Amino acid sequence: MDIVLNSVEIFDKRSPYHGKRKNVHIKNGVITSITSQKVKARQTVDAKGLKLSIGWFDVGAHFGDPGFEHKENLESGRSLAEKSGFTGVAVLPNTNPVVQSKNEVSYITSNNKNELIQLYALGAVSANTEGKELTEMIDLHHAGAVGFTDGFNPIWHTDILLKTLQYLQKFDGLLINRAEDRMLTMFGSMHEGTQSTLLGLKGMPGLAEEVMVQRDLRLLDYAGGRIHFSNISTAGSVDLIRKAKKKGLAVTCDVAVHQIAFSDKALEDYDTNFKVNPPFRENGDIKALIKGLKDGTIDLIVSSHCPQDEESKNLEFDLADFGIIGLQTFMSVIKGHYQDLSLEELIQGFTTRPREILGLPLPEIKVGSQADLTLFDPDKKWDYTLESNLSKSRNSPFLGKTLTGKSVGVFNNGKVYLDEGL
Amino acid sequence: MQQLSSKHLLGIKDLTTSDIELIFETADNFKEVINRPIKKVPSLRDITIANVFFENSTRTKLSFELAEKRLSADVVNFSSSNSSVKKGETLLDTVNNILAMKVDMVVLRHSSPGAPHFLARHIKANIINAGDGTHEHPTQALLDTFSIREKLGDVAGKKVAIIGDILHSRVALSNIFALQKLGAEVMVCGPNTLLPKFIGNVGVKVELDVKKALKWCDVANVLRIQMERQQIKYFPSLREYTLYYGINKQLLDALDRPITIMHPGPINRGVELNSDVADSEHSIILNQVENGVAVRMAVLYLLAGIASDN
């Protein structure tokens, strides 16, 4: 590898070159120069109009491998992530078998040395993510698990949550919980509100999320440790987490990228591509989420990539499964729906912050560093169609739309991927 | 010929007020027809209608079938109350199979809200929603409002209380939409656990005390307690429900004026409605049944008109 990106805008607030257009030379996986001078290299890319950030990182994508390979597998997930601008992905443990021993961790991570995309395992907190028996989390940690979560399954058992917070402190481990009191969302298929009343669908109240956030924060205050809420969705949750942060509790959280894009009004036609958990809520919630991103209450923006096959989605609304695929449209959704927020701030939420929270080394854009980079064009228009879709699944409300904003290449682990035509 | 604004009847929400008025005028004519010695007209000759019922139903199905036969349509019936039908291909496949036999219209009852909308996206036939889960039951609301119009002369300005299990009812939502479009005031009444939390946002009054609801209204539309559609316990016992929400003659006698009593059937006699009310002169429950056939004839006739024009 011997590539120079000519006239690329460096997009990393920590770099002295931030906002400047430079020629960046990458040789054998290392950034060898950042300069305004002409650089000779085997391959020259005219990168005028493109931005260069450190590699994007996603927390909590679901690749379904093993067990659900017909929806996505590690290979398709890797290829999808690479072409969507990501260089690292921490995947959910909700596979079959569940990621709950070092074997499953190494199944996910073993190929990393040969691949551009680095996959990280999130280990299950409880056996089969059932919330009853703790997994061997110290052993999982030593095998490489970067965080602990029951993924789609909220940790409903109060004492299991308490014990996990306590147990993980030995190695400052991170507990990730999806806040949802399932007793309050039972049989629900969308947000509870006027819209669910009009559609005759059983609702999932925002309250179900908030009571669990509140409970968990109280337990965190008592036990210590670190907790991260994945996919928060309500104004109330943002409020509770903001207050807890002020108080000094070690809490972080993320929002699914699509959560800002739609309200419950989008479900008008019973299109199951809008069926997602947490559900699309109301405009007030969306506003609160944006405010939470602005003031730093919300740390991460995640793809919440959840592939579902045709048989799980092309159904009556209440029978269909939850989930949206989110990696490929990630930048476009941010460009299309996060307009009040500056990309400069937002990008922390999928570059530096996730690595900090998971305790992973931070890549840098400086001479001598390993190249862990994403090259992207925030203004590029592209058609998201069945043909251009890279996931094995197609459960996206954005299919068929012309979108704006796209990554065009990534560098990592001595390897490079560049879109054709660059 | 005047036409409806849609080729399907998925819900009252999608109908305009003039659609409803057109259905009523057409139903007036058919009501006259079904009271003739020869009750059959040739309007839908050569039209084939499939009644596809994924949920148990006796009277709605009977009423549709009768309406179809009085219009000389060819009728096929498919029933499956098999609740283990989990995958939608079954719905789609079943209906596609029926359509492959050249069916023009589908009358669908299904336990999933939006099932007829789902089907409308996938198949060409006209679809009539005969009840989709806890969402809508448009022909029921049409016959209910038609019956109010018949009994009281007009729907506009009337006060209608819908009493009972609003949460699990498709009749309630369709009635609310129809009554509002026709200018009536609507109240819902029941135990708070059986009222959708946000029902107040759709422009209805909410009342927890059945005595107050009866005092307020001109018409009480009493709903069946849907034990079969309740997946979780919403009230402690039928006994308590009957004691505090059941409607009996004593309650009605205590009012300062008579009110009209309706029920979509089948009645749980002695639970939500006592026999001394159900069978009283103020009850129009059997008129509802009779009007059901006329209203369904009107809907089928008008939709078939659109189908043949296409």
Side-chain angles (χ1 to χ4, degrees), chain A residues 64-256:
Chain A
D65 185 357
F68 309 98
E69 293 92 337
H70 57 294
K71 300 182 179 184
E72 206 80 88
N73 60 23
L74 295 185
E75 200 190 335
S76 71
R78 268 199 159 101
S79 159
L80 168 64
E82 167 176 301
K83 290 167 185 161
S84 307
F86 294 84
T87 60
V89 180
V91 296
L92 289 183
N94 305 87
T95 46
N96 186 17
V98 163
V99 180
Q100 54 192 353
S101 78
K102 55 188 177 184
N103 283 344
E104 288 100 32
V105 173
S106 71
Y107 176 72
I108 287 165
T109 58
S110 60
N111 240 350
N112 278 348
K113 54 185 179 302
N114 308 316
E115 298 279 355
L116 189 155
I117 298 288
Q118 299 298 294
L119 294 184
Y120 298 88
L122 297 169
V125 165
S126 67
N128 298 319
T129 68
E130 283 167 357
K132 292 175 190 157
E133 305 278 335
L134 291 177
T135 59
E136 295 175 340
M137 286 181 275
I138 299 174
D139 209 35
L140 284 165
H141 165 68
H142 286 301
V146 293
F148 297 88
T149 179
D150 279 347
F152 302 126
N153 295 326
I155 302 166
W156 55 273
H157 194 307
T158 314
D159 191 48
I160 291 280
L161 191 98
L162 174 64
K163 296 286 192 294
T164 308
L165 281 169
Q166 291 171 327
Y167 197 71
L168 291 178
Q169 287 174 35
K170 178 184 187 305
F171 54 90
D172 194 25
L174 179 70
L175 171 61
I176 301 175
N177 197 15
R178 175 75 66 89
E180 177 194 342
D181 185 328
R182 290 257 164 106
M183 294 306 285
L184 295 176
T185 58
M186 208 183 282
F187 307 112
S189 52
M190 67 172 290
H191 170 66
E192 182 192 75
T194 308
Q195 183 72 348
S196 66
T197 309
L198 292 174
L199 294 178
L201 288 166
K202 181 133 183 2
M204 308 161 78
L207 173 81
E209 179 174 305
E210 291 152 13
V211 294
M212 194 173 270
V213 168
Q214 197 156 25
R215 177 200 77 166
D216 289 7
L217 289 172
R218 186 72 192 86
L219 290 163
L220 179 70
D221 194 17
Y222 173 83
R226 291 199 292 146
I227 197 164
H228 177 89
F229 293 107
S230 75
N231 293 193
I232 64 158
S233 66
T234 78
S237 299
V238 177
D239 231 32
L240 287 164
I241 293 166
R242 182 181 290 121
K243 282 182 188 137
K245 282 189 165 185
K246 242 181 214 153
K247 200 175 161 189
L249 292 183
V251 56
T252 52
C253 66
D254 66 59
V255 63

Side-chain angles (χ1 to χ4, degrees), chain B:
Chain B
M1 175 183 139
Q2 269 186 289
Q3 285 199 340
L4 294 178
S5 59
S6 162
K7 68 172 276 206
H8 306 293
L9 178 60
L10 302 180
I12 300 289
K13 193 164 64 172
D14 313 318
L15 293 183
T16 63
T17 305
S18 51
D19 283 336
I20 299 177
E21 279 160 3
L22 176 60
I23 293 169
F24 283 1
E25 284 158 25
T26 315
D28 284 335
N29 294 333
F30 283 125
K31 184 152 184 187
E32 187 264 316
V33 167
I34 58 177
N35 282 300
R36 289 180 196 164
I38 296 168
K39 302 174 173 62
K40 207 163 171 168
V41 289
S43 312
L44 296 194
R45 195 181 286 161
D46 289 335
I47 299 264
T48 309
I49 303 175
N51 299 315
V52 181
F53 278 65
F54 285 93
E55 245 187 6
N56 280 331
S57 158
T58 312
R59 48 196 72 204
T60 302
K61 199 168 138 195
L62 206 62
S63 178
F64 266 109
E65 205 175 329
L66 208 53
E68 290 152 3
K69 288 182 170 164
R70 297 261 148 98
L71 290 167
S72 306
D74 294 320
V75 181
V76 290
N77 289 303
F78 173 88
S79 296
S80 162
S81 58
N82 189 356
S83 60
S84 72
V85 176
K86 269 284 175 206
K87 293 283 180 184
E89 311 92 351
T90 315
L91 168 62
L92 204 53
D93 286 349
T94 306
V95 175
N96 271 329
N97 271 294
I98 294 167
L99 289 184
M101 302 172 203
K102 308 296 173 212
V103 167
D104 304 293
M105 301 172 90
V106 175
V107 176
L108 178 76
R109 166 160 296 187
H110 197 281
S111 60
S112 293
H117 307 66
F118 170 75
L119 215 55
R121 275 203 300 276
H122 287 91
I123 66 173
K124 278 194 182 132
N126 305 67
I127 293 173
I128 296 165
N129 180 2
D132 60 331
T134 53
H135 181 220
E136 282 223 45
H137 190 355
T139 55
Q140 180 71 44
L142 290 168
L143 75 89
D144 286 347
T145 43
F146 183 84
S147 303
I148 294 173
R149 168 180 171 269
E150 184 181 69
K151 168 86 176 173
L152 302 178
D154 199 356
V155 179
K158 299 294 177 298
K159 293 176 172 176
V160 181
I162 306 173
I163 298 169
D165 182 355
I166 312 295
L167 189 66
H168 297 92
S169 171
R170 48 192 166 217
V171 177
L173 199 59
S174 283
N175 259 282
I176 290 169
F177 291 146
L179 288 163
Q180 287 177 339
K181 285 182 192 218
L182 295 170
E185 269 188 88
V186 189
M187 173 186 278
V188 294
C189 173
N192 216 357
T193 49
L194 289 178
L195 304 178
K197 175 153 172 63
F198 295 93
I199 193 76
N201 293 357
V202 305
V204 299
K205 292 185 180 355
V206 178
E207 177 58 62
L208 305 181
D209 185 338
V210 77
K211 284 182 190 159
K212 288 185 186 160
L214 293 173
K215 202 169 157 42
W216 174 83
C217 71
D218 302 310
V219 179
N221 193 350
V222 186
L223 302 182
R224 178 182 164 79
I225 283 293
Q226 300 278 1
M227 294 302 263
E228 68 273 17
R229 243 175 276 162
Q230 291 182 15
Q231 295 147 316
I232 308 165
K233 269 264 179 189
Y234 289 87
F235 58 90
S237 66
L238 276 180
R239 175 186 170 274
E240 184 155 293
Y241 185 86
T242 307
L243 279 175
Y244 294 95
Y245 287 93
I247 294 171
N248 54 42
K249 188 162 181 298
Q250 209 183 337
L251 279 178
L252 297 189
D253 286 347
L255 301 174
D256 49 16
R257 62 194 169 121
I259 61 169
T260 302
I261 299 291
M262 303 174 70
H263 192 294
I267 309 170
N268 295 307
R269 281 180 184 259
V271 181
E272 69 265 5
L273 214 53
N274 249 16
S275 290
D276 53 15
V277 174
D279 306 330
S280 75
E281 53 178 324
H282 301 299
S283 153
I284 57 166
I285 296 171
L286 290 176
N287 308 60
Q288 289 174 266
V289 177
E290 183 188 345
N291 291 336
V293 177
V295 164
R296 289 181 174 116
M297 284 171 81
V299 167
L300 292 163
Y301 173 79
L302 291 166
L303 289 177
I306 294 177
S308 58
D309 284 3
N310 288 347

